[in-house]
Structure formats: structure tokens, C-alpha cells
Amino acid sequence: MANSRVAQRYAIALESLTKEQKNPEIVSQNLELVRDVVSSSRELKMFLKSPIVKQEKKKNALEELFSSKIEKNVMEYLTGIIQSKRIDILEDILLEYFILRDEVNGIKRVEIKTATEITPEQSKNLISSLEKMTNKKIVPIFIIDEKLKGGFIVKIGDKVFDTSISNKLKKLREHFRNAELSSN
């Protein structure tokens, strides 16, 4: 919880820094690159989080990895996080930053689970309905989950809309159990 609040504060500062840049899209792309590299390497995550590794070694490693691939100001931000001894929560900071960035830009990432792959037309209609419902631009993340049997589950933030057949069967079973118990 405390790390989450700290990460939010750093993300807000990062969002402010991004807005001040001539090309905020490039800064955002740089941060996506950093996020993708860090999240894909277990060894790098452990290295950055290790209290035994000196801050200077962490700084040198990140400079070697990113200095030729990202803007100077983004590298300076990463260096600042290292100096503040917050590099261990870099992933949390970036997660909070992207949530904040999307919110500022009116974008909502939505997880959509389906039993099978849906057609482009179904996808378009579902996304259109979700955009009307949320008044935001929807960026879908489709996941296939064969256990659903049919229908879909949409997760928007902490809200879940479950129209799956497996959920309907579960509710039907509960209804019959409750009816059986009340008749005894």
C-alpha cells in the first residue's frame, strides 16, 4: 500500500515531466520500452530490487541498456529514481504512469475474455458499446478462456460484466440448490 502511494507520486511527477516535453509521445514510447525490457527480464528486476547492489552499478547498468535508445530526459528521470533509492518500485511507477496517461487521454484499457476468438465485426460492436457506456476510447485486451463455454467477461477497472455461459450455469445450479433447500 505504501509503495503504491509512493509509485503514484512518482508517476504524477513523470506525467508532469512528459507534458513539458516537445514530444510527449516519444517520452511515452521510451517509457514503454523501459517497462517492456524490465518486465521481461527476471534477472534485471532482481538486480534493480537488490539492496546489496550499489546504486552506481544500477545506474551504469540502466545507462548501458537504455542511453542510446531513450531520450536524455527519460534517462535522467531513471537516474533520479536510482538516487532516490526508489528503483525497486520502477515497475509500479511505470504501471501508475500508464494508468494516469490513459486517464488523461480518455483511454480505458479493458480486458475481454471470450470462449473463442470473436469476429472483427463482433469486436467492433462490443468496443463501440463499451465506448458509449464509459465515454472513453476503449483499448481492448482480448483473452481466450475456453472454460467460459460461450459468452464473454468484460473487466473495466474493478467492474466485471459476466455474460458467460459458465456463469449462467453456475447461477442456475445455485437457484436449483436454493429451491431444493427451501422445499425441504
Side-chain angles (χ1 to χ4, degrees), residues 46-120:
M46 289 173 51
F47 175 80
L48 294 175
K49 290 182 179 192
S50 173
I52 297 168
V53 178
K54 294 190 183 321
Q55 304 301 333
E56 191 63 29
K57 281 191 174 187
K58 293 177 183 181
K59 178 180 171 266
N60 291 340
L62 288 182
E63 283 178 348
E64 190 173 315
L65 277 171
F66 297 116
S67 64
S68 66
K69 297 175 182 138
I70 62 176
E71 299 289 312
K72 182 181 175 191
N73 54 354
V74 176
M75 192 67 231
E76 288 170 355
Y77 182 81
L78 294 176
T79 302
I81 292 175
I82 292 169
Q83 290 169 344
S84 302
K85 298 183 180 177
R86 296 296 188 184
I87 196 67
D88 59 320
I89 61 168
L90 177 61
E91 282 186 290
D92 296 333
I93 293 168
L94 293 175
L95 174 68
E96 293 293 334
Y97 165 78
F98 288 113
I99 290 170
L100 182 61
R101 181 202 63 185
D102 287 350
E103 191 175 299
V104 166
N105 292 325
I107 297 171
K108 195 73 173 170
R109 295 188 187 279
V110 175
E111 183 179 289
I112 303 170
K113 286 186 182 181
T114 59
T116 60
E117 193 170 323
I118 62 175
T119 67

Side-chain angles (χ1 to χ4, degrees), residues 151 162-174:
D162 191 342
T163 68
S164 66
I165 291 176
S166 59
N167 185 51
K168 289 178 181 177
L169 289 171
K170 178 183 163 194
K171 287 181 179 181
L172 193 57
R173 274 192 296 273
E174 288 173 8

Side-chain angles (χ1 to χ4, degrees), residues 13-73:
L14 186 54
E15 174 64 21
S16 296
L17 171 76
T18 303
K19 284 181 188 174
E20 295 170 6
Q21 303 306 307
K22 289 182 229 171
N23 296 319
E25 304 84 31
I26 291 174
V27 173
S28 192
Q29 289 170 357
N30 288 179
L31 293 168
E32 286 175 1
L33 172 69
V34 171
R35 177 195 61 197
D36 293 345
V37 169
V38 171
S39 67
S40 68
S41 172
R42 183 176 167 267
E43 292 81 13
L44 180 57
K45 279 191 262 192
M46 289 173 51
F47 175 80
L48 294 175
K49 290 182 179 192
S50 173
I52 297 168
V53 178
K54 294 190 183 321
Q55 304 301 333
E56 191 63 29
K57 281 191 174 187
K58 293 177 183 181
K59 178 180 171 266
N60 291 340
L62 288 182
E63 283 178 348
E64 190 173 315
L65 277 171
F66 297 116
S67 64
S68 66
K69 297 175 182 138
I70 62 176
E71 299 289 312
K72 182 181 175 191
N73 54 354

